Amino acid sequence: MSDKSKDVAWKYSAAVVEGNSIRLRCNFCGKVTTGGVFRMKEHLMGGRRNAKGCTKVSEEVRQEVIAFMESKKNQKIL
Ligand SMILES: [Zn+2]
């Protein structure tokens, strides 16, 4: 399996190919983001920086994405 399949963003969004770029579409609200899985996770977690937060994501999923981001952060430190 490729590394990208491990990212939690792929559970809650689908790749949309437009020309030669790949965008991600949110499974909850249908919003298409252009910043890759990182931007999609920001969208799922709620308004951070330039990403508009998802209005339809469940609190459960939001917490899962936040936990995923935290675990990534910890891996970087170690
Ligand atoms: Zn959304």
Side-chain angles (χ1 to χ4, degrees):
M1 292 298 279
S2 65
D3 194 50
K4 75 173 189 179
S5 66
K6 292 176 188 166
D7 198 295
V8 71
W10 294 106
K11 282 171 71 177
Y12 303 118
S13 62
V16 182
V17 179
E18 282 187 25
N20 53 13
S21 66
I22 296 173
R23 299 173 185 206
L24 292 176
R25 185 170 56 219
C26 177
N27 284 355
F28 300 103
C29 70
K31 179 182 165 63
V32 175
T33 62
T34 54
V37 291
F38 185 78
R39 180 59 57 84
M40 177 52 68
K41 281 178 286 198
E42 287 193 328
H43 170 71
L44 292 170
M45 285 191 294
R48 279 199 180 190
R49 296 183 200 151
N50 298 323
K52 196 174 191 302
C54 189
T55 53
K56 295 190 177 175
V57 68
S58 71
E59 182 62 20
E60 198 180 353
V61 170
R62 207 173 70 85
Q63 292 300 329
E64 183 185 352
V65 175
I66 290 170
F68 181 85
M69 292 291 270
E70 288 296 316
S71 70
K72 282 279 183 187
K73 207 160 50 178
N74 291 339
Q75 279 172 21
K76 263 182 200 169
I77 292 164
L78 293 168

